[in-house]
Amino acid sequence: SPAARLPGHGPGFTAACRQLIASPTASRIRVAMPAAAPPVPTYTQFTTVCWSVRAHNRRCGAFAHPYPIPGKRGRVHQPDFTSDICVGAAHDGSIDVSAEEMERRCSADVQCAGYCYALSSNLSAFPRGRAQHAAVPLVGFWNHLPAMPGYATRFKEDLRAIDEAGRGGGSPALVPAMREWADHTWRKLRGFNVSLRAGNRSAPAVPFEEKLRRVMADMRSFGEAALPSRVRKLPVFYLFAGADVITARGFFPHAPRVLLTSGLPFGDVGCFLHAPCATSMRRAALAALDNWQWHGFAWSEEKHLDRVLVTEPRLLNEHNATFGVAPLILTCLHALGATLEAIDRRPGTNLVTLALSDGTRVSYQALGLGWRPLDEDLADLDRMLEPSPPPVRAPASLYAPPPPAAAAFVTVIKAAALGWAYLRQRALYTHVLARSAAALTDETGFAPTCYDPGEWKLTGYGSFEALEQSYADLNIAEAWHRVGRAGNPLHNASLQWRDEMRAFFHADRPALPFVFGYGTHLRGPGAHGVLLAAWRHAHGVSVGADQAFQRDRNEFRFDGSTVRVIKTDDPIDVHSDTSAIMPRQLDPPAPPPQIPALQTWRRADRRRRAPP
């Protein structure tokens, strides 16, 4: 009986209901049951800034961009003051309503992806760029554009199904639905023919599954040959990761915990329970994964991800959903043979944790880093790295013991060109490295001079001068071209950084056997990218000493069912001589250069937009 599930109604009440229904007068009695409330999206905090009207992401007002351009992948500029969400909107698209009313309106509007709300009612607190009213509905969240401080900006993403699954009610079918969706998506994706080499259309075509298997095997072989065994068993903290669990699982397959963060939302998990929405989400995931494999699983184009995972779903009127990174993470984990056992969300946050059958926990949190004071970013990162209890529905045996409060992580950073100035801040890299026992980065991560030579051992791979050719091939502006004219302090710092990179990643460094960061296969192994591996001396035990985690470097078990072997005559760059990538001792680095604040770079770079 439905009444048995209502609070305060026990077996006696249920028996009375049954007796009443069985009575002769039952046909003349109507029992008024409360109607099921329609699903209301939840809103999760993203950042503390909003965007000016020049960002073209307003839902209302004279600068609204609510509708798709016919025949094109974009939005058309069309003023909107009459839609239900836009009633009372000012010229700049802001609305004089409460946060609760803004959420009610945004929830009912398909195009609305979230909103900004002023943290203070004093409109003169931040006069520059401030909207006329407190509430600003948005159609998207664009990066590297002029920002307005003093706002709480929230995604419209439905994470309630996670909480209901964790409590054992409401959506008990969520985890099975996610597993079934990932299996169906991977069966579609695994046979797609793709180019074997990153960015090279003339390379031989192989199935998607084969290309991913080769990349994972190369990463695993490299990690076993070049990283100490203790380092390969540390939890992983991956900044600006997006959905890249491939890199984390490739280099650190035995990490008990993987934490990912980026500016993309996790997504509406309720979409997995709705068949039409799940089908649309599958198409978006296949498009995003195809873009990722084209770059050798080394990086994805941010504008492409934002379009197919956040913006375009809002153009599908029948779903009202944000896809986010959840479908990409699930597909990759399923492709690697990991089975999802439980899902949980840390109370009061958008930190989502996936529990896998092998005991690994993969966590993701959307954070808008770089748009607000640095101390707020550091506080959010510290909260993210705090240990969290296992999800309540998961058997305890699925989890490794949570790390202590001062746990040491392997910090991973790559393909973060747009965060170059942000990552150069001394307070940031000092804070993050204090929580790290090791680091794995490309040229966009922490520079060699950020590490104290008395505490850290550094090794390098790849040639920076060869990588610069890849930058030209990919039409990526290098740092010193993006930060103003000569004489600008940040421009001078970028030249010092360039000279440091060229000196550290010199031509005699061993080449990488895979594409890393912004490398490509277009100009030979030397242009595959650069990689800096660093670890504290306390973790520098002999490489490969722990036989419990040793695997044959030519063997990789894929999808839990087959074993394939990479041979040296396969058409891909595989180093059979592991001595070529063994660590080398470096000279002590010079003191790090002082870098101005990120806002200085934004002002200098306002008219010099970086490519995706």
Side-chain angles (χ1 to χ4, degrees):
S1 169
R5 296 194 295 269
L6 297 177
H9 298 301
F13 181 84
T14 303
C17 285
R18 290 173 178 170
Q19 183 177 4
L20 177 64
I21 292 173
S23 67
T25 59
S27 61
R28 300 192 301 268
I29 297 177
R30 286 187 178 180
V31 180
M33 298 297 294
V40 178
T42 54
Y43 292 82
T44 56
Q45 179 78 18
F46 175 53
T47 184
T48 55
V49 299
C50 195
W51 293 269
S52 72
V53 294
R54 289 191 293 162
H56 307 298
N57 62 355
R58 295 290 170 92
R59 172 63 183 88
C60 302
F63 303 94
H65 287 71
Y67 304 110
I69 300 175
K72 296 184 179 180
R73 292 179 174 178
R75 291 176 178 268
V76 64
H77 168 69
Q78 181 173 338
D80 190 349
F81 295 91
T82 60
S83 298
D84 291 344
I85 189 176
C86 299
V87 172
H91 182 79
D92 63 0
S94 61
I95 309 174
D96 187 14
V97 295
S98 65
E100 292 75 15
E101 173 64 13
M102 186 69 262
E103 291 190 2
R104 187 194 68 78
R105 294 188 183 189
C106 188
S107 298
D109 186 82
V110 174
Q111 302 295 331
C112 180
Y115 69 96
C116 305
Y117 201 84
L119 296 175
S120 171
S121 59
N122 182 10
L123 295 180
S124 62
F126 300 97
R128 182 179 180 182
R130 187 62 178 264
Q132 183 174 344
H133 300 301
V136 184
L138 304 173
V139 297
F141 307 89
W142 314 150
N143 200 352
H144 56 270
L145 286 169
M148 303 185 303
Y151 285 83
T153 300
R154 298 184 174 95
F155 283 124
K156 180 171 74 172
E157 61 175 340
D158 189 0
L159 301 178
R160 292 177 305 112
I162 298 177
D163 302 329
E164 293 168 352
R167 290 193 301 266
S171 297
L174 177 60
V175 171
M178 295 174 75
R179 284 200 296 255
E180 182 181 356
W181 183 94
D183 179 69
H184 188 182
T185 303
W186 176 238
R187 283 189 280 110
K188 280 183 170 292
L189 179 65
R190 65 192 307 173
F192 285 1
N193 285 329
V194 297
S195 174
L196 179 61
R197 300 176 186 272
N200 189 344
R201 298 187 185 278
S202 62
V206 296
F208 187 100
E209 177 181 15
E210 175 69 9
K211 182 174 182 177
L212 178 59
R213 181 194 63 78
R214 290 172 181 253
V215 170
M216 291 294 296
D218 287 344
M219 288 183 182
R220 179 149 325 166
S221 299
F222 178 90
E224 291 178 352
L227 299 175
S229 58
R230 291 179 62 183
V231 168
R232 289 183 280 116
K233 293 180 285 185
L234 292 172
V236 176
F237 173 49
Y238 194 163
L239 275 167
F240 306 107
D244 186 13
V245 294
I246 297 296
T247 297
R249 299 278 287 187
F251 288 108
F252 309 99
H254 306 289
R257 190 180 181 200
V258 177
L259 296 101
L260 312 174
T261 181
S262 76
L264 292 168
F266 184 76
D268 295 355
V269 294
C271 190
F272 292 101
L273 300 170
H274 184 238
C277 185
T279 300
S280 298
M281 182 167 58
R282 181 173 296 110
R283 288 195 295 266
L286 294 177
L289 291 167
D290 182 60
N291 178 267
W292 191 8
Q293 69 78 24
W294 172 247
H295 298 295
F297 299 101
W299 64 288
S300 297
E301 299 171 31
E302 182 180 8
K303 289 184 178 180
H304 179 83
L305 291 179
D306 185 86
R307 175 172 59 81
V308 302
L309 300 178
V310 180
T311 305
E312 283 189 354
R314 291 290 161 196
L315 305 181
L316 305 174
N317 296 334
E318 66 271 24
H319 303 322
N320 192 11
T322 298
F323 295 156
V325 300
L328 306 188
I329 294 177
L330 281 177
T331 304
C332 292
L333 290 175
H334 188 82
L336 301 179
T339 302
L340 176 66
E341 295 290 344
I343 184 170
D344 186 55
R345 177 165 69 120
R346 182 179 292 180
T349 73
N350 60 344
L351 177 62
V352 178
T353 298
L354 307 175
L356 307 182
S357 56
D358 61 359
T360 305
R361 289 180 295 158
V362 177
S363 301
Y364 180 87
Q365 184 171 17
L367 294 176
L369 301 177
W371 289 326
R372 54 185 177 169
L374 181 61
D375 56 348
E376 296 183 22
D377 286 352
L378 297 180
D380 272 352
L381 293 177
D382 283 343
R383 284 189 289 269
M384 180 181 180
L385 296 178
E386 290 175 356
S388 57
V392 294
R393 280 179 59 85
S397 60
L398 295 180
Y399 294 88
F409 293 82
V410 177
T411 298
V412 178
I413 304 173
K414 71 178 181 68
L418 295 177
W420 179 85
Y422 180 73
L423 292 169
R424 304 280 82 76
Q425 297 178 92
R426 179 190 290 270
L428 174 67
Y429 66 72
T430 301
H431 188 89
V432 173
L433 290 180
R435 300 291 302 268
S436 305
L440 194 75
T441 72
D442 65 357
E443 76 283 359
T444 64
F446 301 142
T449 50
C450 298
Y451 302 87
D452 182 355
E455 298 182 11
W456 293 84
K457 177 178 177 59
L458 276 66
T459 62
Y461 308 90
S463 167
F464 186 76
E465 292 188 3
L467 177 63
E468 291 180 85
Q469 300 175 6
S470 295
Y471 269 63
D473 294 334
L474 297 172
N475 195 29
I476 298 177
E478 292 166 299
W480 51 92
H481 293 155
R482 299 199 311 266
V483 290
R485 298 185 297 270
N488 181 293
L490 196 56
H491 180 78
N492 295 340
S494 71
L495 297 180
Q496 297 177 23
W497 171 82
R498 177 196 64 185
D499 295 339
E500 179 185 355
M501 291 294 104
R502 288 177 176 175
F504 184 83
F505 297 109
H506 50 76
D508 293 335
R509 294 286 186 191
L512 290 171
F514 47 82
V515 171
F516 192 73
Y518 294 113
T520 67
H521 279 122
L522 295 176
R523 298 182 180 271
H528 285 179
V530 298
L531 185 149
L532 185 152
W535 57 84
R536 296 184 182 275
H537 293 309
H539 289 76
V541 297
S542 60
V543 175
D546 190 348
Q547 297 300 321
F549 290 98
Q550 286 296 312
R551 293 171 182 253
D552 186 338
R553 70 175 305 274
N554 288 331
E555 183 177 291
F556 177 64
R557 184 169 297 279
F558 195 84
D559 207 15
S561 57
T562 60
V563 176
R564 304 290 294 275
V565 177
I566 294 181
K567 301 179 180 179
T568 55
D569 57 351
D570 282 351
I572 193 168
D573 299 306
V574 178
H575 286 235
S576 58
D577 182 9
T578 57
S579 63
I581 55 174
M582 293 297 289
R584 298 173 59 183
Q585 185 66 43
L586 306 177
D587 296 331
Q594 293 294 321
I595 304 297
L598 178 62
Q599 191 63 31
T600 305
W601 168 71
R602 286 206 190 97
R603 290 195 295 268
D605 190 51
R606 188 160 292 172
R607 291 183 176 85
R608 293 175 177 266
R609 298 290 173 79

